[in-house]
Amino acid sequence: MRLKDLREDNDLTQEQISILLSCQRNTYSQYENGKRQIPIDALIKLSRFYKTSIDYILEETDEPKPYKRKEIKQWKNFYQ
């Protein structure tokens, strides 16, 4: 995973990112080192924070630009 590179490129500490994710620093360290699987909600937070895609974080792509998000239809327009 690119977690460490993203964090260091943004001059952040593991402590700062663990606060963002509401987890212990040791837990986040285990995410970075691949010793613990990172939960999907944490991946979503990180992709939004770093303005990239989950696929980029997981090294499934080398394109750091995030995907265009779908617009959510409001219920009142859903059935029209």
Side-chain angles (χ1 to χ4, degrees):
M1 279 192 282
R2 291 186 164 107
L3 291 177
K4 184 176 182 179
D5 292 337
L6 285 165
R7 179 179 58 77
E8 289 178 344
D9 289 348
N10 287 276
D11 297 320
L12 298 166
T13 65
Q14 286 185 343
E15 183 68 28
Q16 290 170 310
I17 298 300
S18 68
I19 291 168
L20 171 75
L21 299 179
S22 302
C23 68
Q24 298 293 318
R25 191 208 55 80
N26 185 50
T27 300
Y28 177 75
S29 176
Q30 291 175 346
Y31 296 156
E32 266 193 11
N33 296 320
K35 293 180 181 176
R36 180 181 280 201
Q37 210 169 31
I38 186 166
I40 189 69
D41 61 321
L43 281 171
I44 291 168
K45 281 183 185 179
L46 290 168
S47 70
R48 290 178 179 165
F49 180 76
Y50 290 125
K51 295 178 177 66
T52 191
S53 68
I54 292 172
D55 283 349
Y56 182 75
I57 293 172
L58 298 176
E59 297 183 19
E60 292 296 318
T61 183
D62 290 328
E63 175 58 53
K65 185 177 178 184
Y67 305 120
K68 183 177 178 181
R69 293 193 171 207
K70 286 184 177 180
E71 298 216 9
I72 299 173
K73 295 180 181 180
Q74 294 181 4
W75 284 108
K76 66 181 179 181
N77 297 326
F78 186 75
Y79 293 105
Q80 294 179 349

